Amino acid sequence: MENFTYRFADETDVGIILQFIRLLAEYEHMENDVVATEENLREWIFEKGKAEVLFAVEDGREVGFALFCYNFSTFLGRAGIWLEDLFVLPEYRGKGYGKGLLKQLAKIAVERGCGRLEWYCLDWNQPSIEFYRSLGAVPLDEWTTYRLTGDTLKKMAE
């Protein structure tokens, strides 16, 4: 991994970001759920600054990505980093790129004074679960995620 580096995405990378999102959705069997476009990714990530993207790069090619934003812990009284997406191209898995991206995110969290680094993992995704546990990550089995979206979200906002 001598030619392995990290870099933050810039506005010219929205096409690559969307490609990674679609590949992740395919892996998770959720292709039909992706409605993101380059235009709204550009707006929300780069114009509004609501998320950041870190790439793992080998020999000039983006081989993995991590999309993250801030959350807030009232108990800690400070922000944390929420990892929304982590994906490494299949042919590059098992070579340290995923771990490298998580290490970079941990460094960013510490440098920025954040108290946590958190993410979701699908219950059926055993390879990822094993990977995360091997890093010392702890599942929060006592928490259930709830979501409002689409028409339900709009109705709630009335």
Side-chain angles (χ1 to χ4, degrees):
M1 291 188 357
E2 296 172 1
N3 300 317
F4 177 52
T5 59
Y6 307 94
R7 73 171 181 86
F8 282 98
D10 63 39
E11 198 168 338
T12 64
D13 293 315
V14 292
I16 300 167
I17 295 167
L18 184 55
Q19 181 182 24
F20 272 113
I21 291 168
R22 288 183 175 145
L23 289 168
L24 174 61
E26 182 180 322
Y27 174 78
E28 293 180 340
H29 312 293
M30 301 175 76
E31 303 94 327
N32 295 332
D33 293 340
V34 177
V35 296
T37 64
E38 288 186 22
E39 293 75 27
N40 67 10
L41 291 174
R42 182 177 290 107
E43 176 186 358
W44 285 91
I45 296 172
F46 299 105
E47 293 172 16
K48 293 183 177 185
K50 298 299 181 183
E52 297 178 65
V53 174
L54 185 66
F55 288 117
V57 181
E58 180 182 278
D59 294 324
R61 178 181 184 207
E62 292 78 11
V63 300
F65 94 127
L67 188 148
F68 64 99
C69 58
Y70 291 104
N71 58 15
F72 192 85
S73 168
T74 56
F75 288 10
L76 295 178
R78 58 181 154 156
I81 287 183
W82 178 260
L83 173 59
E84 181 64 24
D85 289 337
L86 176 69
F87 185 80
V88 174
L89 296 172
E91 62 270 29
Y92 292 91
R93 291 184 190 148
K95 298 180 180 180
Y97 297 101
K99 183 177 182 179
L101 284 164
L102 283 170
K103 285 180 70 97
Q104 288 300 307
L105 289 176
K107 287 179 186 177
I108 291 166
V110 170
E111 289 168 0
R112 295 180 184 182
C114 296
R116 296 178 175 166
L117 171 57
E118 298 177 303
W119 61 91
Y120 295 128
C121 183
L122 291 167
D123 291 339
W124 60 260
N125 192 346
Q126 199 59 40
S128 292
I129 292 168
E130 291 172 12
F131 167 63
Y132 297 141
R133 287 186 179 215
S134 77
L135 301 176
V138 179
L140 300 178
D141 296 331
E142 67 274 13
W143 292 87
T144 300
T145 302
Y146 291 88
R147 179 179 291 163
L148 292 172
T149 187
D151 291 338
T152 307
L153 176 63
K154 291 175 185 170
K155 185 174 181 178
M156 184 68 177
E158 294 175 352

